[in-house]
Amino acid sequence: DTEVTQTPKHLVMGMTNKKSLKCEQHMGHRAMYWYKQKAKKPPELMFVYSYEKLSINESVPSRFSPECPNSSLLNLHLHALQPEDSALYLCASKPSLARTPYNEQFFGPGTRLTVL
Amino acid sequence: AQSVTQPDIHITVSEGASLELRCNYSYGATPYLFWYVQSPGQGLQLLLKYFSGDTLVQGIKGFEAEFKRSQSSFNLRKPSVHWSDAAEYFCAVGARPAAGNKLTFGGGTRVLVKP
């Protein structure tokens, strides 16, 4: 199994809703990432998890709350989002935060989020 | 700080013609460079990567890239484009572990293929 899966594919939520995005990989990777991609823009890093611990938070607002309950699963909990948070949310994984970043990140297909 | 520039926002090429996408990077040490492709509404797929060694790198789908340290460039090429190559292409530089092996992407180049 060499893929990263993300659910749901599409999500529409109101500004008062609470929802979660899910990412799963069974490649034994121990580094996992959340990226946000606005339309016609490149992905921007949000969070990095290494061995199930939060390693990097790129100054993301607290209405986004990541969670890594085990080595295969990464969640992104959403609460009180704004319309400008509408974007494609991409999950990625790689074997580990090795001494070199030569090993590539494997990306999932993304969740298309619309905030009304 | 690392950065990547892709000077061309759009490129239109005829099917069967050659393609070259430009990428310039800024990085304080030996760069770790990647090219990813993204089809509409999809995730990113790695085409090829470079860290060291031979400066001409072969990738999937018939793509190759050449690393030129003197020009801080990592341009992507394909000799003969197929209609299925229409997509968004991102060049990226990878950071060290202390920065989470973070990928910094260029702005992307959208490739349109004419029949």
Side-chain angles (χ1 to χ4, degrees):
Chain A
D1 187 354
T2 58
E3 66 173 357
V4 176
T5 59
Q6 290 187 243
T7 54
K9 286 190 190 310
H10 301 275
L11 178 63
V12 180
M13 61 185 291
M15 289 191 284
T16 59
N17 292 157
K18 285 186 181 180
K19 297 286 185 183
S20 297
L21 310 185
K22 178 181 171 182
C23 171
E24 201 159 6
Q25 56 86 16
H26 296 285
M27 295 179 278
H29 290 176
R30 304 311 295 271
M32 296 186 76
Y33 301 74
W34 281 115
Y35 287 84
K36 174 181 178 180
Q37 185 178 23
K38 299 283 281 183
K40 301 187 188 303
K41 296 291 186 183
E44 293 181 339
L45 182 68
M46 299 175 73
F47 303 104
V48 181
Y49 271 82
S50 177
Y51 289 86
E52 296 90 72
K53 292 203 176 344
L54 184 63
S55 176
I56 302 277
N57 176 342
E58 291 281 288
S59 302
V60 178
S62 60
R63 58 186 183 269
F64 295 92
S65 176
E67 177 198 22
C68 191
N70 60 58
S71 61
S72 300
L73 188 56
L74 184 67
N75 297 320
L76 186 62
H77 303 297
L78 314 172
H79 173 55
L81 293 194
Q82 304 297 311
E84 59 264 29
D85 296 321
S86 298
L88 182 68
Y89 288 84
L90 293 164
C91 175
S93 73
K94 70 191 296 283
S96 67
L97 296 187
R99 280 201 299 231
T100 81
Y102 187 61
N103 290 325
E104 71 266 25
Q105 295 177 26
F106 290 79
F107 283 81
T111 293
R112 175 76 58 191
L113 174 67
T114 303
V115 182
L116 300 177
Chain B
Q2 59 197 61
S3 66
V4 178
T5 302
Q6 293 178 244
D8 304 303
I9 297 175
H10 294 102
I11 285 182
T12 299
V13 60
S14 296
E15 192 168 13
S18 64
L19 175 68
E20 181 167 12
L21 305 182
R22 295 183 291 163
C23 171
N24 294 100
Y25 68 89
S26 173
Y27 191 69
T30 303
Y32 306 83
L33 296 163
F34 305 83
W35 274 101
Y36 281 88
V37 61
Q38 185 177 34
S39 296
Q42 301 296 313
L44 282 74
Q45 181 183 23
L46 181 74
L47 289 175
L48 46 77
K49 60 186 178 183
Y50 173 79
F51 168 52
S52 66
D54 193 345
T55 57
L56 188 61
V57 181
Q58 301 298 318
I60 63 171
K61 304 186 180 189
F63 284 92
E64 65 177 26
E66 186 171 13
F67 172 68
K68 292 186 178 179
R69 185 183 298 274
S70 61
Q71 298 178 18
S72 297
S73 69
F74 188 54
N75 294 348
L76 182 71
R77 297 194 293 255
K78 185 168 184 177
S80 177
V81 167
H82 187 261
W83 65 266
S84 59
D85 294 322
E88 186 92 21
Y89 291 79
F90 292 100
C91 181
V93 62
R96 301 272 176 188
N101 292 160
K102 167 184 174 179
L103 287 176
T104 298
F105 291 90
T109 298
R110 181 167 297 278
V111 173
L112 303 174
V113 180
K114 293 191 302 185

